Amino acid sequence: KAGDTEGARTTFRETVAMDKRTPANFDAESFVGTQLVGALIAKPDFTTALVVAKTIQDESRRGRALLSIAAAAAAKDSATAEEALKAIGDPLARSLAASEAVDSALKQDQPKAALIFAGLAEDQGFRAQCLGALLSYGIDHGDAADVVPQVLALKDPVSIARLATDALRGRAFREIKVDETSLIAAVETALSAIRPGYQHALLVDDFSRAVTGFDSVKGLELHNRAAGLSAQLTGEDAAERDREIARAVAANVAADAVTKTADPLEKERNDAIDQWSRFVANNLADPIFTDFRATLDNLPNSAPAGAANRAWTVFGSVSTQASKLVDALKQIRAKRAELAARAAASASGQK
């Protein structure tokens, strides 16, 4: 706690030496180093932890210590996390550490740091995993422009096809900031480099659904192409296709069986869910319900600055929004009472 790492190291050495269970060939220095790193991360003091980690002689222990630093510092000290990742000698271990650092950074809304960490994953599988997480984050937040170039730079055409198709889907349905024309071209290029087979047919079909959001004619053309590719499969690819179809049929049969034996009140509950969904769509679409904070913040702008009656106009705007909230509350209570009465009637009818 006082920052005396050498004093702590000496204490660890003495403790290990006093333990009679310690083997003669035990690497006490590396063990002590990892214990110090853990204590410094908990403090937290990532800079000193990194200095100590680099002195650990055992490669495996050093790699684990550096991974711990990278994951812990990712959202709080990205520069130290990046340096820790670069210090990991084994490319696969570094890629694993990078993926954990990406997850840690995204959980704390640090996408720029996460993108840097993703670039340090040399293994293409781990890099694709990192970019997939970043792409999902970008789609959720409306902007994946910085991620897409890294996706298109991947070496694996399957990863490019999958992730670029996800980006297209995000562009079509979430309106994220990406160029759909270059994405469509990139997916088509990637698909042309993938071995024909069941996976290829699935990727084409998935691509067709994403493209439909921009061009229904091209989407239908791709869907028919995927169906043709699936029909032409032979050998193990055809067997895999048939197994998937059998699983889907079995799942549907199981779902039908559950529906037929479901609670008799299930229909009433589902109907109530539908009614609430329609109620929200029809009655709670006003900005005061969908973006309460922004609506309140904009109320002072309902009258020009300096207007003689500005205070009264703003007050009137506030009163209008308050009335909407009160009316909505009354409607919600009425709807709740209506559905409760129907549920009670259904329950008594079942008895």
Side-chain angles (χ1 to χ4, degrees), residues 34-181:
T34 57
Q35 296 301 305
L36 279 173
V37 168
L40 290 164
I41 289 174
K43 193 175 179 181
D45 183 351
F46 303 123
T47 303
T48 306
L50 181 59
V51 172
V52 173
K54 289 180 177 180
T55 67
I56 297 174
Q57 295 301 308
D58 182 81
E59 184 177 355
S60 176
R61 289 184 182 274
R62 183 173 64 252
R64 289 198 298 272
L66 291 168
L67 185 153
S68 298
I69 294 169
K76 302 174 182 178
D77 185 352
S78 60
T80 299
E82 182 181 354
E83 188 177 349
L85 289 172
K86 290 178 177 178
I88 299 175
D90 179 63
L92 191 61
R94 186 187 313 121
S95 300
L96 171 61
S99 71
E100 295 195 12
V102 167
D103 289 340
S104 297
L106 292 180
K107 286 177 182 176
Q108 298 297 321
D109 294 321
Q110 300 288 336
K112 292 188 181 299
L115 189 60
I116 293 173
F117 302 150
L120 296 174
E122 293 184 34
D123 179 83
Q124 288 292 298
F126 276 114
R127 181 171 291 190
Q129 177 184 326
C130 293
L131 293 175
L134 273 157
L135 186 60
S136 295
Y137 180 94
I139 290 172
D140 287 343
H141 291 76
D143 187 0
D146 291 339
V147 184
V148 169
Q150 302 299 323
V151 168
L152 301 186
L154 288 168
K155 297 177 182 178
D156 176 32
V158 172
S159 296
I160 294 174
R162 283 179 173 163
L163 295 178
T165 296
D166 286 344
L168 272 174
R169 193 177 293 108
R171 176 70 182 89
F173 302 109
R174 298 294 297 272
E175 297 185 355
I176 63 170
K177 300 175 183 177
V178 292
D179 176 20
E180 66 269 17
T181 303

Side-chain angles (χ1 to χ4, degrees), residues 23-340:
N25 61 347
F26 182 66
D27 184 358
E29 288 302 314
S30 293
F31 173 77
V32 168
T34 57
Q35 296 301 305
L36 279 173
V37 168
L40 290 164
I41 289 174
K43 193 175 179 181
D45 183 351
F46 303 123
T47 303
T48 306
L50 181 59
V51 172
V52 173
K54 289 180 177 180
T55 67
I56 297 174
Q57 295 301 308
D58 182 81
E59 184 177 355
S60 176
R61 289 184 182 274
R62 183 173 64 252
R64 289 198 298 272
L66 291 168
L67 185 153
S68 298
I69 294 169
K76 302 174 182 178
D77 185 352
S78 60
T80 299
E82 182 181 354
E83 188 177 349
L85 289 172
K86 290 178 177 178
I88 299 175
D90 179 63
L92 191 61
R94 186 187 313 121
S95 300
L96 171 61
S99 71
E100 295 195 12
V102 167
D103 289 340
S104 297
L106 292 180
K107 286 177 182 176
Q108 298 297 321
D109 294 321
Q110 300 288 336
K112 292 188 181 299
L115 189 60
I116 293 173
F117 302 150
L120 296 174
E122 293 184 34
D123 179 83
Q124 288 292 298
F126 276 114
R127 181 171 291 190
Q129 177 184 326
C130 293
L131 293 175
L134 273 157
L135 186 60
S136 295
Y137 180 94
I139 290 172
D140 287 343
H141 291 76
D143 187 0
D146 291 339
V147 184
V148 169
Q150 302 299 323
V151 168
L152 301 186
L154 288 168
K155 297 177 182 178
D156 176 32
V158 172
S159 296
I160 294 174
R162 283 179 173 163
L163 295 178
T165 296
D166 286 344
L168 272 174
R169 193 177 293 108
R171 176 70 182 89
F173 302 109
R174 298 294 297 272
E175 297 185 355
I176 63 170
K177 300 175 183 177
V178 292
D179 176 20
E180 66 269 17
T181 303
S182 61
L183 279 173
I184 289 173
V187 175
E188 289 179 328
T189 300
L191 289 172
S192 68
I194 297 172
R195 180 190 73 83
Y198 180 62
Q199 183 186 52
H200 178 248
L202 283 180
L203 289 171
V204 173
D205 192 45
D206 193 32
F207 180 42
S208 74
R209 288 192 291 273
V211 169
T212 299
F214 307 100
D215 187 340
S216 58
V217 174
K218 184 175 180 64
L220 179 59
E221 176 190 329
L222 285 166
H223 175 71
N224 292 335
R225 176 183 160 195
L229 291 170
S230 180
Q232 295 169 11
L233 295 174
T234 60
E236 181 55 32
D237 286 309
E240 185 178 1
R241 175 202 61 201
D242 294 341
R243 286 193 295 271
E244 287 298 322
I245 293 173
R247 276 194 285 268
V249 170
N252 287 333
V253 170
D256 289 341
V258 169
T259 300
K260 290 175 182 177
T261 59
D263 183 345
L265 297 178
E266 185 69 21
K267 182 179 182 301
E268 190 67 41
R269 285 192 285 266
N270 289 335
D271 182 59
I273 292 171
D274 290 339
Q275 288 208 40
W276 276 118
S277 297
R278 289 195 295 272
F279 176 85
V280 170
N282 295 330
N283 300 286
L284 302 180
D286 193 276
I288 190 64
F289 307 115
T290 59
D291 197 342
F292 181 78
R293 172 66 65 182
T295 302
L296 290 186
D297 289 344
N298 285 327
L299 287 179
N301 299 324
S302 58
N309 62 342
R310 186 169 188 269
W312 180 252
T313 302
V314 172
F315 176 75
S317 298
V318 172
S319 297
T320 299
Q321 299 303 326
S323 296
K324 290 179 181 179
L325 292 171
V326 171
D327 290 341
L329 180 59
K330 291 178 180 177
Q331 292 174 348
I332 289 170
R333 286 173 174 169
K335 174 62 69 175
R336 184 181 295 158
E338 173 195 341
L339 294 177

